[in-house]
């Protein structure tokens, strides 16, 4: 539900913020995003609440106690702060929310029977961050929503709906490889792969943050000088290619030390996986940057959606084949091959 309420909305909103000339326009974009996601969340939450009736093994109380995460996702406009270059503010409030959530876990959770309280405390981190952030926004930025249009979210939603489900399946497909590996190769192979995968996925998240920040710059330049934007995009991609290639080479040589340091000698077989996934990360970062700089920055959401559907489909098919054929190594190679194919399709 959280992925669905974020996917497809935020990148376009960041682009629009970059094009805003006044604070009122920026506030209108924020309001449109909030209202569109809130309206879309109603059927999503309804389906979530009905899940235990169709799948009795799913705990209803656990779902209810996890709802603050959904509410927090709606409240916390990370994209807006990134677009306004207020990443430090975002970091402060995210940290505050997580610290208070951790304190709640210590106070509420005493043993394994307190699983619902643990879910509530854990899922409240984003919700707490969102509440504290809105106090800051009203007091410090003096947002005035009374002067804004409460109907324009409908036209905004018509634009972004193209990428809502494609963005969801593209983001959710990151979890598919581990599911296939667990099914075909068991827990040992899954553990070895996950040890390396969590490192490269964390790096991929940082890359995505950087690329989204740069996208707002490109979108703004595109409005005034397409030729200059094209030149800047080319330079950024060249620098990114160089940095990520060097990073992949560096990762290849330090992977044995990283695995030994973080996980110990029992995870030695994760070394080769991390080396392959280091190359995957380089190609992934380059492909995502191309998609973001060339099409997202230009507002071509139909093209973005096409590549997202393609990504989700290829990962679903080839990660299953790789995991079935050669376990964790086969899956890693399959993911690397998928990135090569996706770049060629661009």
């Amino acid at each position: 539900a959280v992925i669905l309420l974020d996917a497809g909305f935020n990148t376009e909103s960041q682009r629009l913020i970059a094009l805003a000339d006044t604070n009122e326009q920026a506030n209108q974009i924020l309001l449109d995003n909030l209202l569109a996601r809130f309206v879309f969340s109603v059927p999503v939450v309804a389906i979530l609440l009905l899940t235990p009736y169709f799948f009795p093994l799913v705990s209803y109380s656990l779902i209810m106690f996890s709802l603050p995460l959904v509410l927090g996702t709606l409240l916390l406009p990370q994209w807006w702060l990134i677009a306004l270059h207020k990443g430090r503010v975002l970091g402060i409030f995210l940290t505050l929310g997580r610290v208070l959530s951790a304190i709640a876990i210590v106070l509420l959770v005493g043993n394994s029977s307190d699983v619902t309280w643990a879910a509530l405390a854990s899922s409240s981190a984003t919700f707490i961050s969102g509440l504290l952030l809105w106090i800051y926004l009203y007091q410090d930025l003096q947002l005035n929503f009374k002067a804004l249009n409460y109907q324009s979210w409908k036209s905004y939603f018509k634009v972004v709906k193209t990428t809502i489900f494609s963005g969801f399946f593209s983001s959710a497909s990151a979890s598919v490889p581990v599911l296939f590996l667990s099914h075909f190769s068991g827990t040992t192979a899954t553990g070895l792969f996950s040890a390396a995968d969590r490192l490269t996925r964390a790096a991929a998240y940082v890359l995505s943050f950087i690329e989204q920040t740069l996208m707002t710059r490109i979108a703004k330049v595109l409005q005034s000088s397409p030729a200059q934007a094209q030149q800047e995009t080319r330079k950024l991609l060249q620098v990114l290619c160089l940095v990520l290639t060097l990073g992949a080479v560096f990762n290849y040589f330090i992977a044995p030390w990283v695995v030994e340091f973080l996980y110990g000698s029992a995870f030695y077989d994760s070394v080769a996986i991390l080396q392959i996934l280091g190359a995957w990360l380089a190609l992934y970062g380059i492909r995502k940057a191309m998609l973001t700089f060339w099409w997202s920055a230009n507002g071509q959401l139909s093209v973005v959606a096409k590549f997202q559907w393609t990504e989700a489909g290829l990962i679903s098919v080839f990660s299953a084949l790789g995991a079935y054929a050669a376990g964790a190594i086969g899956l890693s190679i399959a993911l690397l091959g998928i990135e090569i194919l996706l770049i060629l399709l661009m």
Side-chain angles (χ1 to χ4, degrees):
V2 171
I3 296 175
L4 192 57
L5 294 177
D6 265 348
F9 289 97
N10 296 346
T11 300
E12 176 62 8
S13 294
Q14 275 186 258
R15 187 186 75 86
L16 293 173
I17 283 287
L19 304 181
D21 295 321
T22 64
N23 288 336
E24 184 176 342
Q25 289 177 348
N27 293 344
Q28 182 67 57
I29 294 165
L30 174 61
L31 180 63
D32 289 345
N33 179 282
L34 291 172
L35 289 177
R37 291 199 300 149
F38 177 78
V39 172
F40 186 67
S41 72
V42 174
V44 172
V45 172
I47 293 172
L48 193 63
L49 293 176
L50 289 173
T51 301
Y53 292 99
F54 298 101
F55 302 96
L57 293 177
V58 177
S59 170
Y60 186 78
S61 59
L62 197 58
I63 288 179
M64 287 295 296
F65 276 45
S66 298
L67 284 180
L69 179 59
V70 177
L71 296 175
T73 301
L74 294 172
L75 279 176
L76 191 62
Q78 298 188 38
W79 61 270
W80 194 67
L81 293 170
I82 293 171
L84 295 179
H85 306 292
K86 293 184 177 293
R88 182 180 299 178
V89 173
L90 174 61
I92 290 172
F93 284 100
L94 283 175
T95 302
L96 281 174
R98 288 171 183 171
V99 169
L100 292 175
S101 173
I103 293 173
I105 290 174
V106 172
L107 295 177
L108 297 175
V109 180
N111 52 59
S112 58
S113 64
D114 296 328
V115 61
T116 50
W117 290 110
L120 176 62
S122 179
S123 66
S124 296
T126 305
F127 181 67
I128 295 170
S129 296
L131 286 179
L132 294 175
L133 177 62
W134 276 105
I135 295 172
Y136 164 79
L137 290 178
Y138 272 115
Q139 292 183 347
D140 190 70
L141 300 183
Q142 298 180 343
L143 293 175
N144 181 16
F145 283 121
K146 293 182 180 179
L148 301 180
N149 184 348
Y150 281 75
Q151 298 298 319
S152 66
W153 70 267
K154 297 176 182 177
S155 57
Y156 163 79
F157 184 77
K158 288 180 181 179
V159 173
V160 301
K161 68 180 182 180
T162 305
T163 55
I164 291 176
F165 289 103
S166 63
F168 167 75
F169 283 103
S170 174
S171 298
S173 65
S175 302
V176 170
V178 175
L179 295 177
F180 282 127
L181 185 62
S182 177
H183 176 73
F184 290 123
S185 302
T187 56
T188 300
T190 303
L192 292 172
F193 176 83
S194 298
D197 183 58
R198 66 168 57 101
L199 298 177
T200 52
R201 290 290 175 185
Y205 178 82
V206 174
L207 279 175
S208 178
F209 180 86
I210 294 171
E211 289 165 1
Q212 292 296 321
T213 303
L214 293 172
M215 187 270 289
T216 59
R217 158 70 183 173
I218 294 171
K220 194 169 187 65
V221 176
L222 263 172
Q223 188 180 31
S224 58
S225 177
Q228 182 184 348
Q230 186 177 17
Q231 185 178 11
E232 288 192 15
T233 299
R234 189 182 303 111
K235 289 181 179 179
L236 284 173
L237 288 174
Q238 288 173 348
V239 171
L240 190 63
C241 286
L242 177 61
V243 171
L244 290 178
T245 300
L246 292 175
V249 173
F250 184 65
N251 171 76
Y252 181 85
F253 289 105
I254 69 166
W257 179 84
V258 171
V259 171
E260 175 70 26
F261 178 76
L262 293 177
Y263 306 116
S265 56
F267 281 82
Y268 179 78
D269 289 341
S270 294
V271 171
I273 298 170
L274 182 57
Q275 290 171 331
I276 297 171
L277 291 182
W280 166 85
L281 176 63
L283 294 177
Y284 173 87
I286 293 167
R287 175 180 64 83
K288 284 291 189 179
M290 292 165 64
L291 186 66
T292 302
F293 297 164
W294 286 349
W295 291 292
S296 293
N298 218 3
Q300 297 182 23
L301 298 188
S302 60
V303 179
V304 174
K306 182 185 73 173
F307 281 112
Q308 288 174 333
W309 283 118
T310 304
E311 177 187 10
L314 289 176
I315 289 176
S316 299
V317 173
F318 287 101
S319 61
L321 294 175
Y324 176 77
I329 290 291
L331 175 58
S332 304
I333 295 173
L335 291 175
L336 181 61
I338 290 168
E339 290 302 325
I340 294 172
L341 182 56
L342 286 169
I343 289 175
L344 292 176
L345 289 174
M346 289 182 168

